[in-house]
Amino acid sequence: MGKSTLIKEKLPQDITVISSDEPKLDVELIKKWLLTPAAEKPILFIDEANLLPEGVLEIFEGLYGEPKGVTLAGKFYPVSDAHKVVFAGNFSHYENRVKHDFISRHGNVIEIPPLIDDELRQDVMSPVLQSLKMDKDAENIQSIFLKVYHKVNQDNPDLALTPRNVMNMIYRLHYFTQGGYQNAFKKIEDAAWFSAYEEIRYLVKPVLRKTIKAEMKSVLAGDYKNYKAVLAEKSHHKHPLDSYSDTYAHRTTNRIIRDHLEIREHLLADNQLKSPMQGLLVEGAPGAGKTSMVENHLRDMGYRLITDSDASDKIYYNLSANLTKAIEQLMTAFRTGGVVIINEINTLTHLEPILNAMMSGKFMGQYAHPGFLVIGTQNPISFNFREKLSPAFQNRFLVINTKDYVKNDFLLIADKKKLSKSEAEPVRDLFNEFDKLKDVKEKSVGKKM
C-alpha cells in the first residue's frame, strides 16, 4: 500500500480528499479545498511535496495564525478546524528532495512502515497470482519472492524493493512459465528464483547480487546450468533487421530488453495489464548502442516510430527535445498505452515529477491506458551534466547495465557490414591495444589511490 493510496482510497468515506495528480501547488485546487464546507471534513492532499521548490509551502503559514486561514490573490479565506492539509513524499535524503522549512516548523511527520509479510501475501501477491491462475503454487512462490525482497531491503536500504517490484516478479514468472520460456523450467519454483534475480540483478550492489545468485545456484543445484543455457540461447536472438549486429557483449542486455517487451505483450494479450508497464532503463557508455538495441527489438516486433509514414497501431515515440512537444508526446502515449523512448533521461530530471506521476498510473485526472511504457537510456552519472535519478523514480524501472564491446564484436559488426576479415582484423587489434592501455591506466590510478 502506497502513501497516495492510503490517503486517496483508504480513509473513511465521510472524509473529502481534494488532490492533484501532479506535484505542484494548484491555486484552484487550494481554493476548492478552502470553500468546501467543514461538515465534509476536507483534506487537501499534496503528493510529492518535497519535490516542490523551497518556500512554496509558506502559503499555509496562516493556518497557524489567529484567525486561521489562507490568503490567495490578496483575499483571505478563513478555515475551520476540520480543514486539514496532508503532505506526502519520499525520504528527504533521496535525490532531488527539498527539506521545507515550513514542514520543519510545523510538520507532524509520520513514517509509514513497510507492509508486513501477511499484507504482501494477501493484498499484493495473492490477487495477482489468482488472476494469472498461478495460485496453486502460491505459498512456495511467495516464500521465494519474500526471501529475496527481505534480503535486498536489509542489505540495500537506499534503494529498497517495494510491493511494485514483487508484482513485477510475478509478471515475469508468468511469462517464464506460460510465455517465452514455456516448458523450460522443471518446477515453477525454479522459474521463480530466476524471476526474482532478474528483477534485482542490476539494482543492487555486486556483492549482494553474488550472494543472491549463490543461494539460487545452491537451491537449483545441477539444473542451474541447464536453465542458464536456455537463457543464453534466447540471448542469441536472430534479428531479421539488416542494420542490427548481435554482438557478444550485448546478448544478455538484448535478451532482457526482448523479454520485457514480450512480457508487456503477453500481459496485454491476456488482459492482465491494468496499469503502466514497469519502465526499462538501459545504462551504458556512449556508442554502446543503447537506443539502437531498444529500437531494433521494437521494429522486429512490428512497432513503428510515430513519424514513419507506415505507422500502425503498434507505435513508439522518441521523445522530442522540445519540452512542449515532449509533454504532448507523453500525454498521447499515456492515453493510448504507447511506448516512449527517452534518451539521456538523467539529463532531464525536470521531467521526473511528471514521469513519476504518469508511471504511477494517474496524471491530470486521467488514468493511463494499459501498456503505457517508458524506456529510458542514459550514460553513467560520472559524465558531465548528468544527475542521479531519485531512488523512488529509479524504482519504477527495470535497470539494465550494458557491457562494453569485446574485441571480437568488431568481426561480427564487420560481417554485418560486408567487410572482409582482412579489413576488420586491424580495427579489432587496434581496439584491443586501446583496451590494454585503459586497463594499465586504471590499475595505475588504483595504486595511486
Side-chain angles (χ1 to χ4, degrees):
M1 183 191 300
K3 302 176 290 294
S4 303
T5 302
L6 176 65
I7 300 300
K8 293 179 181 180
E9 300 177 17
K10 302 298 181 180
L11 293 180
Q13 293 295 313
D14 62 338
I15 293 176
T16 301
V17 178
I18 299 167
S19 65
S20 171
D21 300 313
E22 299 177 75
K24 70 175 186 178
L25 279 186
D26 188 321
V27 173
E28 290 303 313
L29 208 65
I30 297 174
K31 189 174 180 180
K32 179 182 178 181
W33 167 71
L34 291 167
L35 297 177
T36 300
E40 296 184 24
K41 301 178 182 177
I43 288 180
L44 176 64
F45 178 55
I46 300 174
D47 203 0
E48 302 291 3
N50 55 359
L51 284 177
L52 298 172
E54 174 58 61
V56 299
L57 301 186
E58 299 299 328
I59 192 174
F60 298 110
E61 186 63 34
L63 297 176
Y64 295 88
E66 257 325 309
K68 292 198 299 183
V70 173
T71 301
L72 287 180
K75 182 178 178 179
F76 180 78
Y77 293 83
V79 297
S80 70
D81 289 341
H83 284 73
K84 307 292 183 183
V85 182
V86 176
F87 304 102
N90 290 306
F91 294 117
S92 58
H93 66 269
Y94 281 16
E95 301 292 328
N96 306 318
R97 300 285 160 169
V98 174
K99 293 183 179 180
H100 289 282
D101 288 340
F102 175 81
I103 293 178
S104 298
R105 294 196 304 272
H106 304 297
N108 177 22
V109 179
I110 301 172
E111 183 178 330
I112 299 178
L115 298 180
I116 62 175
D117 283 4
D118 283 348
E119 291 169 330
L120 283 167
R121 288 178 184 272
Q122 295 170 18
D123 300 334
V124 178
M125 291 190 280
S126 289
V128 181
L129 288 167
Q130 187 172 3
S131 176
L132 294 171
K133 297 180 174 57
M134 301 172 70
D135 47 323
K136 180 171 71 73
D137 303 290
E139 187 173 344
N140 292 341
I141 294 169
Q142 290 171 348
S143 295
I144 293 167
F145 290 164
L146 286 173
K147 180 187 287 285
V148 175
Y149 174 85
H150 288 305
K151 182 63 178 172
V152 170
N153 288 357
Q154 175 185 327
D155 296 354
N156 202 59
D158 289 340
L159 199 57
L161 298 183
T162 69
R164 188 186 307 117
N165 296 105
V166 177
M167 288 180 64
N168 292 329
M169 292 177 191
I170 296 174
Y171 289 146
R172 188 174 298 104
L173 175 62
H174 185 247
Y175 172 71
F176 275 178
T177 56
Q178 300 180 36
Y181 296 88
Q182 196 168 3
N183 302 321
F185 294 91
K186 290 182 178 179
K187 298 185 296 183
I188 195 168
E189 292 86 355
D190 296 353
W193 270 106
F194 274 92
S195 301
Y197 179 72
E198 202 93 304
E199 182 71 18
I200 62 92
R201 67 184 296 171
Y202 295 115
L203 192 64
V204 302
K205 296 174 182 176
V207 172
L208 178 55
R209 181 169 65 246
K210 289 178 181 178
T211 300
I212 294 173
K213 186 176 182 179
E215 183 168 359
M216 176 173 67
K217 290 171 71 173
S218 174
V219 171
L220 302 184
D223 289 325
Y224 174 79
K225 287 186 177 180
N226 297 331
Y227 297 146
K228 284 288 289 183
V230 172
L231 295 178
E233 178 62 26
K234 180 73 178 288
S235 298
H236 190 30
H237 182 75
K238 300 296 185 184
H239 288 269
L241 302 169
D242 291 337
S243 62
Y244 189 81
S245 298
D246 185 26
T247 55
Y248 297 106
H250 297 154
R251 285 182 178 172
T252 297
T253 301
N254 273 307
R255 178 187 62 77
I256 297 174
I257 291 172
R258 185 69 172 216
D259 282 353
H260 199 75
L261 295 173
E262 289 186 356
I263 289 170
R264 173 178 175 271
E265 296 211 335
H266 186 65
L267 292 170
L268 285 171
D270 285 353
N271 197 30
Q272 294 291 342
L273 198 56
K274 308 299 183 185
S275 59
M277 181 72 182
Q278 178 191 31
L280 196 60
L281 181 60
V282 186
E283 179 175 307
K290 301 180 289 292
T291 303
S292 297
M293 280 189 273
V294 172
E295 290 197 82
N296 275 310
H297 283 288
L298 286 168
R299 288 182 174 273
D300 188 25
M301 295 171 69
Y303 286 79
R304 295 291 176 264
L305 185 63
I306 188 63
T307 55
D308 287 356
S309 58
D310 61 342
S312 63
D313 290 338
K314 295 180 75 170
I315 59 174
Y316 69 93
Y317 300 80
N318 255 324
L319 199 70
S320 171
N322 178 281
L323 183 59
T324 303
K325 179 67 174 175
I327 299 297
E328 180 184 313
Q329 289 175 325
L330 283 169
M331 284 303 300
T332 302
F334 180 79
R335 289 193 297 261
T336 60
V339 179
V340 181
I341 300 174
I342 306 178
N343 293 306
E344 305 298 350
I345 194 169
N346 56 354
T347 66
L348 304 170
T349 49
H350 57 282
L351 287 178
E352 182 173 318
I354 296 171
L355 290 169
N356 203 44
M358 286 184 163
M359 293 174 75
S360 71
K362 191 177 179 185
F363 183 69
M364 295 182 67
Q366 299 181 51
Y367 287 94
H369 191 282
F372 173 60
L373 171 63
V374 174
I375 302 176
T377 69
Q378 64 182 30
N379 292 322
I381 59 167
S382 56
F383 283 64
N384 289 336
F385 311 115
R386 269 72 182 173
E387 293 184 43
K388 188 176 181 180
L389 304 182
S390 72
F393 184 48
Q394 184 172 322
N395 188 264
R396 296 194 182 277
F397 294 88
L398 177 68
V399 180
I400 311 173
N401 295 327
T402 61
K403 294 181 179 179
D404 292 337
Y405 287 111
V406 297
K407 62 180 182 179
N408 284 335
D409 284 336
F410 288 91
L411 297 182
L412 290 174
I413 296 169
D415 183 62
K416 197 76 172 182
K417 299 298 182 184
K418 310 299 183 187
L419 296 176
S420 68
K421 190 174 181 181
S422 62
E423 291 174 305
E425 283 183 337
V427 178
R428 179 201 62 184
D429 294 340
L430 183 61
F431 169 81
N432 195 33
E433 289 304 314
F434 276 115
D435 213 35
K436 288 178 181 177
L437 287 172
K438 184 182 74 172
D439 288 343
V440 169
K441 183 177 179 182
E442 287 176 351
K443 288 176 182 177
S444 175
V445 171
K447 286 179 180 178
K448 289 178 182 177
M449 294 175 65

